Each structure stands twice: as C-alpha cells, then as structure tokens.
Amino acid sequence: LVNARLDGADIPVPPAPEQPQTDTVNAYYRVKTQKHGWLPEVTNLTDFAGFEGSPITDVAIRVDKGSVKYRVHVLGEGWLPYVTGYDINDYQNGFAGENKVIDAIEIYFFTPDGMRPFRKAKYSANGYAWQYDSEKDNGQDGYAGMIGVPITELRLCIE
C-alpha cells in the first residue's frame, strides 16, 4: 500500500499491526435440573452450573475455539452417546441427557489446528477432583462424577 505526497512521490504505508491472537478458549455450558429446568449459561469458572442441590438431568456445552464432544451417564442405566452440539431444542445432538438424573459426565476438547500447546477440558462434578478430557491416569477415571451419586454441580474450563 502507498500514499501519494503532494509532489507526486509515493510513500510506503506500513501494514497495520497484526492483532495479537489469544489462545484463550472459552467454555460455555448450561444444565437442566429436576427442580428448575434449564438454567442460564455459565462461562468458564465464573460460577458453577447447577442450583440448590437439584440433580442435573441434561447438559449443553460449547466452546469458542476448537470443538468438544461430551456424554453423560444416566443414574442406574449407563452411558448415552456422545454429542457435539449446543442447542437445548435439538434432542439428537444439541445436549447430553434424557431428562433423567446424571451421575457422571465425560468431556473431550479438540484443540484447533494451529493452536499449541494442546488444550484439555478441565471439569469437575460436585466438587470432586478435576478431570482432564477423558484421561485415566494420576487418579483420574476418564470422567467426572461418581457412579451412583447424582451430579448437582458442574464446573468446566479449557486449559
């Protein structure tokens, strides 16, 4: 790019400085509880999703970079299929759950191309130890929660 001077000579115009790219990934999530229905969206660890100790029955998760897949374990029944969407009106892929009490959740974050180092979903249910993606080492069992104990609080961020 150039600008013309009054005498007709061209003056090179330096390119606009590149905007610094942030590697911060925001997680947005909301839950449905037995007593209160769908609750407002939570961002990262600004709060937890859940209310007044009411069991969570459904979960919707999205991120602003990369993508996630997630699934829930229904109390007394088993694991439901993975979903990747975020739409509480899409009963096929918009959220995980069947309007039944959830006792465990698994979340996996896919780091976008070009973002390094790789990131992981960091999440916790009911204040138990943090789980990273679906890892099964360092005391992790691949999911958050405890089979047989209803989840009433969910926390999530991407690290």
Side-chain angles (χ1 to χ4, degrees), residues 1-4 10-16:
L1 293 175
V2 293
N3 279 341
D10 288 334
I11 302 172
V13 175

Side-chain angles (χ1 to χ4, degrees), residues 33-36 48 50-56 126 150-153:
T33 69
Q34 278 187 322
K35 287 185 188 176
H36 309 97
F48 66 87
F51 192 63
E52 295 182 341
S54 180
I56 293 171
N126 295 349
I151 293 178
T152 59
E153 296 181 8

Side-chain angles (χ1 to χ4, degrees), residues 51-132:
F51 192 63
E52 295 182 341
S54 180
I56 293 171
T57 60
D58 302 277
V59 179
I61 300 170
R62 70 182 175 93
V63 291
D64 63 358
K65 295 180 185 118
S67 61
V68 289
K69 73 174 182 178
Y70 56 103
R71 66 180 180 159
V72 296
H73 187 273
V74 174
L75 180 69
E77 293 187 19
W79 288 100
L80 297 179
Y82 288 102
V83 296
T84 57
Y86 184 86
D87 179 350
I88 63 172
N89 297 307
D90 176 355
Y91 292 87
Q92 298 301 312
N93 190 47
F95 61 91
E98 297 181 325
N99 203 33
K100 298 177 182 176
V101 175
I102 294 168
D103 57 359
I105 183 168
E106 178 186 342
I107 305 168
Y108 189 88
F109 176 71
F110 295 95
T111 303
D113 291 342
M115 181 182 284
R116 296 296 178 267
F118 286 98
R119 304 296 196 278
K120 298 176 183 179
K122 175 184 170 182
Y123 55 108
S124 172
N126 295 349
Y128 297 136
W130 291 104
Q131 173 70 41
Y132 291 88

